[in-house]
Amino acid sequence: MKILVIEDEQGLRESIEEYFTEAGNICETAADYATALTKVNVYRYDCILLDITLPGGNGIDLLKIIKEHNYTDGILIISAKNSLDDRLEGLDLGADDYLVKPFHLSELKARVTAIIRRKSYNGSNILTFNEITIDLLGKEVKVGKQSIKFTRKEYALLLYFIANKGKVVSKNAIAEHLWGDGVDMADNFDFIYSHIKNIRKKLVEAGSRDYIQAAYGMGYKFTES
């Protein structure tokens, strides 16, 4: 998962970042409105954890901007405000869920996972694409009955392709999804080709068709045609 934590409380922000990063996710942070606004306008995330009260602005205004631009990021509002009006306003504007502080990090993770599962995988823990089956909880990939071992990045990239099947995804979008805004330091995207080559090889050797097509000059597409 690629997550953005918009939270001005340093201790909580760092705890969330550490918790999700240790679990193998890409986790970026913003401590104020201006930084958050820049990130949501430049990068896309599987889920944004959004505090309402921020230095320099309001999280509800960020939510409005995200929805006005039709960005598809999942939105989980995390706030100390427990009033019904605040909760209803956030949900009415398009937030996917609302979690009141304080909370356990395990519950936060469960809420985030549920949002992403609903938005990208139709609410199921089992993702199926023809002969390919992925257990999202066990992080296991099978072709038919044969299990395939992928690296963490390969697994994340395969999920990204299937979630965006039929769409051309650019190399830049793939790089940002797998490495976050740190990818700006990369000289080239050769590492993406290496991951795609490995995914193709492992799937085909297990008996799958090769669904990854190069869209020359644009990126790649995961498609049946």
Side-chain angles (χ1 to χ4, degrees), residues 57-225:
N58 188 287
I60 292 296
D61 292 332
L62 281 173
L63 176 58
K64 290 178 181 177
I65 290 169
I66 291 168
K67 294 304 175 181
E68 285 170 0
H69 286 81
N70 294 316
Y71 296 146
T72 59
D73 315 53
I75 306 292
L76 172 59
I77 294 176
I78 51 174
S79 177
K81 293 186 175 182
N82 192 24
S83 77
L84 181 60
D85 287 344
D86 288 326
R87 186 176 306 190
L88 291 178
E89 182 181 14
L91 295 174
D92 286 344
L93 287 171
D96 297 284
D97 203 352
Y98 192 113
L99 187 59
V100 178
K101 303 175 188 176
F103 48 76
H104 292 289
L105 291 176
S106 56
E107 180 182 4
L108 177 65
K109 181 182 178 183
R111 297 282 192 103
V112 170
T113 301
I115 289 172
I116 294 172
R117 190 166 58 232
R118 288 197 303 269
K119 293 181 76 71
S120 299
Y121 310 119
N122 298 318
S124 176
N125 290 322
I126 302 297
L127 177 64
T128 301
F129 183 87
N130 293 345
E131 66 273 23
I132 302 171
T133 302
I134 302 176
D135 181 342
L136 297 173
L137 294 181
K139 296 185 178 180
E140 182 182 24
V141 181
K142 289 183 176 181
V143 171
K145 294 184 179 181
Q146 182 173 340
S147 182
I148 307 172
K149 293 202 176 292
F150 287 105
T151 66
R152 183 178 291 173
K153 294 296 185 186
E154 290 167 359
Y155 174 80
L157 181 52
L158 177 61
L159 277 182
Y160 186 61
F161 273 134
I162 294 179
N164 291 278
K165 60 182 179 292
K167 303 175 184 176
V168 175
V169 289
S170 68
K171 292 181 180 179
N172 191 65
I174 293 171
E176 288 178 4
H177 182 78
L178 295 182
W179 281 271
D181 54 10
V183 77
D184 292 340
M185 303 295 290
D187 295 328
N188 57 61
F189 292 147
D190 289 347
F191 53 85
I192 293 176
Y193 175 76
S194 296
H195 286 307
I196 291 175
K197 181 180 178 181
N198 290 338
I199 292 171
R200 277 175 159 162
K201 182 173 184 291
K202 292 177 181 180
L203 288 175
V204 170
E205 287 181 349
S208 171
R209 289 169 53 192
D210 182 6
Y211 295 108
I212 303 175
Q213 297 181 357
Y216 294 102
M218 295 183 288
Y220 295 91
K221 180 193 288 189
F222 196 89
T223 180
E224 294 184 70
S225 58

